[in-house]
Amino acid sequence: MFLGRHAHNLDDKGRLAIPSRFRESLRDGVVLTRGIDRCIAAYPLAAWDVLAAQVNGLPMTDPDARQFRRMVFAEAVDLKLDGQGRVLVPASLRHHAGIDREAIVVGVHASIEIWSPARWGAVDAALATDGDEIAARLAQML
């Protein structure tokens, strides 16, 4: 389970140190891909397999499903943490998320999101102002 928010810097090669409390869950590997909200989504292999099966189950005849499939799989990379608990974040994913040197690593239970500080700041501000309304709308789904 991934919880909390952590600020980390990428090194000159684009490697990101994964928070130490997350590393054990990623020892078998991690898949990075485009996140829906212009972040990078990181999944342990077991969670990735579940997501991949769900995405593959979407109807090929639906144009949105085809586009979503491309979004999820086209930039996805299967990686291993190095001996220092880092992953090499591909330039295409860093560009997608607007990440240069600094990153905010956010645990979202079964996966991790990697944000640029500016984009995370906007998300955090929206949560502060809209959190009650979001919770009320989602309460109807439970």
Side-chain angles (χ1 to χ4, degrees):
M1 175 171 29
F2 304 103
L3 301 173
R5 174 178 59 196
H6 312 270
H8 285 271
N9 288 325
L10 282 78
D11 67 13
D12 292 336
K13 295 179 181 178
R15 294 177 297 199
L16 175 68
I18 299 298
S20 59
R21 63 188 313 189
F22 294 171
R23 292 178 190 167
E24 179 60 28
S25 297
L26 302 174
R27 67 178 155 71
D28 294 331
V30 60
V31 175
L32 301 182
T33 192
R34 289 182 186 187
I36 293 172
D37 296 313
R38 301 288 296 186
C39 64
I40 299 168
Y43 298 91
L45 294 182
W48 173 257
D49 289 343
V50 171
L51 174 66
Q54 290 172 331
V55 172
N56 276 332
L58 296 171
M60 291 292 294
T61 56
D62 185 297
D64 287 339
R66 291 193 306 271
Q67 282 293 78
F68 188 68
R69 185 177 284 111
R70 292 175 189 124
M71 185 188 89
V72 171
F73 295 126
E75 300 294 328
V77 291
D78 183 6
L79 302 168
K80 294 276 188 188
L81 275 63
D82 70 9
Q84 295 178 9
R86 301 173 300 188
V87 292
L88 178 62
V89 181
S92 61
L93 289 176
R94 292 193 314 264
H95 177 74
H96 165 76
I99 294 172
D100 185 30
R101 294 280 298 165
E102 297 177 65
I104 306 297
V105 181
V106 180
V108 287
H109 194 264
S111 64
I112 300 165
E113 294 176 340
I114 305 167
W115 291 86
S116 75
R119 288 187 179 153
W120 176 254
V123 168
D124 198 33
L127 289 171
T129 58
D130 302 334
D132 292 344
E133 292 175 24
I134 293 167
R137 285 193 306 268
L138 291 177
Q140 297 172 17
M141 293 181 185
L142 298 176

